[in-house]
Amino acid sequence: MNPRIIINFVTDMKNWVRNRGAVFWTIAFPVMLILIFGAIFSGSDEVEYEIYVQDLDSSTMSQSFIEMLGNISFFSVKSIPVEENITIYMEKHDLKRALLIPSGFGEAINHSFIDPNVSVNISFYYDPGEQSSNPIVKDIVFSSIQMLNMNLSGGRNIVGMKLISILTEEYDYIDFFIPGIIGITIMTSNIYGSIERNTKYRKNGVLRKLLTTPITRAEWILSKMLFMLFLSFLSTGIIIGVGILMWNAIININMLVFILIIATSFLFSGLGMIIGRFVKEEETADSAAGAITFPMMFLAGTFFPLEHMPLFLQTFARVLPLYYVNEGLRNAMVYLDFEKAVLNTAYVLVFTCVFFIAGVLLTKWREE
Amino acid sequence: MPEKTVKCPKCNKIVTVTGKPGEVVKIICPSCKTLGKVTFPAQLSSNDIAIEVNNLRKEYGDLVAVDNISFKVHIGEVFAFLGPNGAGKTTTVEIIEAIRKPTSGIIRIFGKDISVSFDEIKEKIGVLPQEFHSFERLTVKETLVYFSSLYKNRVDIDDLLIVMGLKHVENMLYKNLSGGLRQRVGVAIALVNDPEIVFLDEPTTGLDPRSRRDVWRIIAGLREKGKTVFLTTHYMEEAEFLADHVAIIHRGRIIAEGSPSELITRYGQGDVLHIKKCKPENALEIIRAKGFNARLGEEGDIMIRIDHRERVLEVLSMLRHECIDYESIDIRRVNLEEIFLQLTGAKLSEE
């Protein structure tokens, strides 16, 4: 490899290791987030939960049960057409939970008054990766069923609830959270690293000095990108390691994960270059970067599933590159849904091309 | 044989000295017998031009920062580009260093047009940009190793540390260095490739007098080694002390050029009477009304230019006659500051 690139890489490494702030934000901060969120995130409240119901019975009894659910203040009940396969419908519409009322539901209840051994189950389909709201919804639905039983028979279990996971594996919140934390760590380290290169080094004359040396602009950018990639992989490795050791997280590593990390690193370096081009002062550029990264962190589904947010924010999230990074990493690393992972990776690559090329073109060594 | 005209610092007697290129000639003032020495630049033929600037112009919208300037820097000389802040010094030097693009004009370094051959030229130049700060968390030695690794031609870093007086701080982080040491590291960085031309853009700005003298010694050492030094400064004493050749730039134009002694001979005949703490307040008007070339200095001081020392008595007589009180009087030889004032009507430090 070109020795100038190697010496730049080594120099960056020394600078970074001796910068406690940079080490903190790249390694200690994400680790702290994993530990804190992993420990406390098990029962957050929602104002309103969506619950989809497929009523295969369409009887007076099933309708009154749906009406009963609708009367619960934090439920928003929606229906799934009877001709749809419920699991395929859930996957297609990215639903985290749904109820299936089987055909013969009303008839079974009526028959139970004659034959006490007759009972019927409502199926609760759920995504086990959604740990923040599904347990609450499940408990409320179960309580509603118990109330129905109380009304029908004074407490005899005529109607039961059957839990059906739509995934083959069980996931915890930490499995959802780890890809998100990887996404924000790569985002922040690359944006701020890029800003440092473009504002601090410009202000203190390093770029002017380098312009008079034999190093080329391409060698400089490539060496910086290699270092940022190294940091991205380092922080990813540490985050995954802590997640597995502390929380038994289920993480899979495959080619898509590598592609996503590389693309994300270039994407946010490009965004940093763009910020650095238009905001000359380092402090102002840091504020500008904060103004972009912080909202993106919370709106792109890093800490909470997107469905917990109001509809307009969900729409807004879909124009944020971090959303596709998070979703891509989750699907590639955790849920192993490669169709979605490839689609999200494609979105990330498009963002990468746009931001990185624009960033490189806008970054100027020469003064005007 | 090249000739040099110098002025005795003690009695102001003008002396002409001849010497070979690169020679240091010892002289004795014929009037007061003061000893001195004159250094002749290594070569001064037209074939030995290190930097040639022709009709350089730089515009920023309606503002003309550099206005069609031309000059030559010979190999082995210390060339000082002297001017106040905002005169166009840094713009000019950064255009020569290919950091900025000129609006028009041609620059040649060792006869090669920098707009086409700058990649080749980079190996031969060393640059200390204005207000340069290196990587904060690298040690002094690591910093020099880093910059030297960018070049094909490299000096021994340990030798450089010793020569620059940085050996004792080689393991200190750059961010922990004093301003003077940082500037010395900056000059050392400019020397890591053993360059033939060294560009130093205001290398002593913001330094205390002692650190400034340290940097001056280093620059003088470069000249002794035969390096060409392009120095931009707004300190006239720096230019006077170090430079073989001075170009004074004002509002983008070169208003005077030559060796410091030539400039003083050409523009600065006579002396300056420095009258400290004059009273009453309208003393300046009174002195001017008597036909003297006077200006206000700092803290109520008044400077009077006189053609001959014989006029000192005339000034003293006038002061007594006009009842102008003062603390003390001394006579100074005319320096570049005075010349700048004479040429522009402004002080170097005021611009």
Side-chain angles (χ1 to χ4, degrees):
Chain A
M1 190 184 273
N2 184 326
R4 286 190 199 123
I5 292 174
I6 295 169
I7 188 78
N8 266 293
F9 184 91
V10 172
T11 302
D12 283 334
M13 173 64 91
K14 286 175 179 169
N15 246 324
W16 180 76
V17 167
R18 290 167 190 169
N19 185 345
R20 287 178 197 159
V23 174
F24 172 81
W25 287 107
T26 311
I27 292 177
F29 178 65
V31 168
M32 276 169 55
L33 279 184
I34 293 176
L35 295 176
I36 294 167
F37 275 76
I40 65 174
F41 221 101
S42 57
S44 79
D45 291 331
E46 260 180 286
V47 176
E48 189 176 75
Y49 303 104
E50 277 187 343
I51 184 154
Y52 282 75
V53 181
Q54 187 175 44
D55 183 5
L56 297 181
D57 193 45
S58 294
S59 61
T60 317
M61 199 58 79
S62 65
Q63 287 300 316
S64 57
F65 178 68
I66 292 168
E67 207 171 291
M68 188 179 164
L69 290 177
N71 288 335
I72 297 170
S73 59
F74 23 53
F75 273 173
S76 164
V77 180
K78 296 178 176 174
S79 63
I80 297 175
V82 290
E83 64 275 12
E84 297 279 354
N85 176 301
I86 190 166
T87 51
I88 294 170
Y89 187 87
M90 283 177 75
E91 196 179 339
K92 202 163 133 189
H93 294 84
D94 202 21
L95 304 183
K96 304 298 178 192
R97 55 192 162 258
L99 287 176
L100 185 138
I101 301 174
S103 110
F105 176 78
E107 197 181 321
I109 290 172
N110 288 333
H111 194 63
S112 72
F113 294 118
I114 303 159
D115 180 355
N117 294 323
V118 173
S119 65
V120 62
N121 279 329
I122 290 174
S123 299
F124 183 85
Y125 288 81
Y126 69 102
D127 176 352
E130 169 45 76
Q131 286 287 306
S132 58
S133 56
N134 273 350
I136 301 166
V137 175
K138 184 190 75 183
D139 287 347
I140 297 170
V141 171
F142 186 71
S143 301
S144 305
I145 290 171
Q146 291 302 98
M147 195 169 284
L148 180 69
N149 284 329
M150 185 65 77
N151 291 339
L152 291 172
S153 65
R156 187 160 58 88
N157 284 338
I158 300 170
V159 182
M161 188 167 86
K162 188 176 160 192
L163 298 175
I164 302 171
S165 166
I166 59 169
L167 295 173
T168 48
E169 283 195 78
E170 290 288 321
Y171 297 98
D172 292 326
Y173 172 73
I174 198 71
D175 303 317
F176 167 88
F177 185 56
I178 281 178
I181 207 76
I182 290 171
I184 62 166
T185 304
I186 297 175
M187 173 180 75
T188 49
S189 60
N190 278 274
I191 286 186
Y192 286 98
S194 187
I195 282 173
E196 184 181 33
R197 292 194 297 276
N198 288 287
T199 55
K200 186 177 175 183
Y201 289 168
R202 183 180 299 281
K203 192 180 174 187
N204 64 18
V206 168
L207 290 185
R208 274 180 287 145
K209 171 68 195 171
L210 290 172
L211 196 56
T212 66
T213 71
I215 192 171
T216 63
R217 184 168 163 268
E219 285 172 335
W220 168 257
I221 291 177
L222 186 60
S223 62
K224 298 299 149 192
M225 284 314 305
L226 275 178
F227 179 68
M228 295 316 296
L229 265 182
F230 166 77
L231 277 192
S232 299
F233 279 111
L234 175 72
S235 50
T236 301
I238 289 171
I239 292 165
I240 290 172
V242 172
I244 292 171
L245 286 173
M246 296 295 295
W247 308 107
N248 294 320
I250 299 167
I251 300 292
N252 295 281
I253 304 296
N254 48 55
M255 189 52 74
L256 274 176
V257 174
F258 279 91
I259 292 170
L260 273 164
I261 291 171
I262 293 167
T264 306
S265 205
F266 277 81
L267 190 167
F268 289 113
S269 279
L271 186 55
M273 287 182 211
I274 294 168
I275 295 169
R277 175 71 179 87
F278 294 106
V279 188
K280 302 287 183 194
E281 290 298 320
E282 193 189 356
E283 292 77 14
T284 320
D286 278 349
S287 305
I292 290 171
T293 54
F294 271 90
M296 190 138 58
M297 217 182 270
F298 291 98
L299 296 177
T302 302
F303 304 110
F304 315 98
L306 217 57
E307 64 164 14
H308 290 192
M309 296 193 289
L311 199 60
F312 77 96
L313 283 180
Q314 292 186 33
T315 311
F316 179 67
R318 287 186 168 81
V319 299
L320 301 175
L322 186 62
Y323 166 75
Y324 297 98
V325 171
N326 289 340
E327 287 301 301
L329 286 172
R330 274 182 198 123
N331 286 306
M333 296 174 92
V334 181
Y335 306 139
L336 300 181
D337 186 338
F338 290 109
E339 198 178 317
K340 281 185 184 173
V342 168
L343 184 67
N344 286 307
T345 306
Y347 279 118
V348 172
L349 287 171
V350 171
F351 276 113
T352 302
C353 289
V354 172
F355 283 108
F356 190 71
I357 291 169
V360 169
L361 292 177
L362 286 169
T363 300
K364 289 182 179 173
W365 272 35
R366 278 178 191 273
E367 304 287 334
E368 292 299 325
Chain B
M1 289 259 272
E3 263 187 15
K4 261 194 163 186
T5 308
V6 294
K7 187 192 267 186
C8 173
K10 209 165 183 182
C11 69
N12 280 351
K13 175 83 180 171
I14 305 293
V15 183
T16 303
V17 194
T18 55
K20 293 173 193 165
E23 192 180 4
V24 179
V25 179
K26 289 183 179 171
I27 58 165
I28 302 172
C29 174
S31 300
C32 66
K33 308 297 178 197
T34 300
L35 290 170
K37 60 181 181 180
V38 175
T39 307
F40 285 85
Q43 290 288 328
L44 286 174
S45 77
S46 58
N47 292 332
D48 294 318
I49 292 167
I51 304 165
E52 187 178 358
V53 174
N54 287 315
N55 300 316
L56 181 64
R57 187 176 175 84
K58 178 67 179 178
E59 296 169 2
Y60 295 104
D62 293 337
L63 176 78
V64 180
V66 179
D67 192 359
N68 288 313
I69 62 171
S70 300
F71 59 87
K72 289 173 184 169
V73 180
H74 290 89
I75 290 173
E77 74 179 4
V78 176
F79 182 96
F81 211 44
L82 179 67
N85 292 330
K89 299 187 301 294
T90 296
T91 303
T92 303
V93 74
E94 288 190 347
I95 292 170
I96 298 170
E97 293 161 355
I99 293 172
R100 292 175 194 271
K101 279 185 177 172
T103 306
S104 62
I106 293 173
I107 294 152
R108 290 191 182 86
I109 292 182
F110 296 120
K112 291 179 178 169
D113 187 340
I114 66 160
S115 63
V116 286
S117 307
F118 194 69
D119 286 344
E120 190 185 330
I121 292 162
K122 281 175 176 178
E123 289 283 349
K124 295 178 180 177
I125 65 167
V127 173
L128 170 64
Q130 192 179 40
E131 293 175 3
F132 172 74
H133 296 277
S134 191
F135 305 105
E136 291 189 343
R137 290 177 185 83
L138 288 195
T139 66
V140 170
K141 188 169 184 179
E142 286 167 349
T143 302
L144 297 181
V145 169
Y146 168 74
F147 281 102
S148 74
S149 69
L150 304 177
Y151 295 92
K152 285 180 199 158
N153 189 29
R154 299 164 196 173
V155 296
D156 185 284
I157 296 302
D158 287 317
D159 287 348
L160 185 61
L161 285 165
I162 293 166
V163 170
M164 299 299 292
L166 293 167
K167 190 69 184 168
H168 65 294
V169 292
E170 66 175 331
N171 293 319
M172 264 177 85
L173 294 182
Y174 182 83
K175 66 173 185 167
N176 295 334
L177 298 176
S178 66
L181 284 171
R182 283 184 182 200
Q183 208 62 344
R184 248 194 276 174
V185 172
V187 178
I189 290 170
L191 301 176
V192 291
N193 57 324
D194 194 19
E196 292 173 42
I197 305 175
V198 185
F199 292 91
L200 303 173
D201 193 357
E202 308 221 355
T204 61
T205 299
L207 298 188
D208 60 72
R210 189 179 164 186
S211 303
R212 186 175 296 167
R213 292 272 165 189
D214 287 343
V215 175
W216 286 8
R217 267 193 288 277
I218 291 164
I219 297 170
L222 293 174
R223 178 175 50 194
E224 280 171 22
K225 285 182 184 169
K227 306 282 183 199
T228 306
V229 179
F230 191 106
L231 171 75
T232 68
T233 181
H234 60 264
Y235 297 126
M236 63 87 195
E237 70 272 24
E238 190 163 286
E240 250 183 292
F241 182 79
L242 293 168
D244 300 303
H245 199 92
V246 176
I248 300 178
I249 186 168
H250 179 60
R251 293 179 184 165
R253 290 185 177 182
I254 291 177
I255 55 172
E257 201 188 334
S259 70
S261 54
E262 279 168 1
L263 290 175
I264 290 166
T265 307
R266 198 182 314 155
Y267 299 104
Q269 286 294 347
D271 294 287
V272 178
L273 261 181
H274 184 174
I275 308 167
K276 286 188 178 173
K277 296 185 180 173
C278 280
K279 286 174 186 172
E281 281 184 6
N282 63 342
L284 183 67
E285 285 77 39
I286 296 168
I287 294 168
R288 280 179 175 168
K290 291 291 170 187
F292 288 98
N293 178 5
R295 69 175 174 88
L296 199 62
E298 288 169 5
E299 297 176 1
D301 297 358
I302 289 175
M303 318 289 192
I304 304 176
R305 278 285 290 272
I306 51 172
D307 306 333
H308 304 287
R309 293 213 161 169
E310 289 72 31
R311 294 203 72 190
V312 173
L313 287 174
E314 196 184 324
V315 172
L316 290 173
S317 165
M318 179 270 295
L319 293 174
R320 192 165 51 243
H321 187 261
E322 297 296 331
C323 300
I324 294 173
D325 194 18
Y326 53 87
E327 192 180 275
S328 64
I329 293 183
D330 61 62
I331 302 173
R332 296 175 182 181
R333 70 188 182 101
V334 171
N335 58 28
L336 292 178
E337 177 91 44
E338 294 291 338
I339 291 168
F340 185 81
L341 178 73
Q342 180 183 321
L343 293 170
T344 65
K347 287 177 74 178
L348 267 168
S349 52
E350 279 174 354
E351 287 283 308

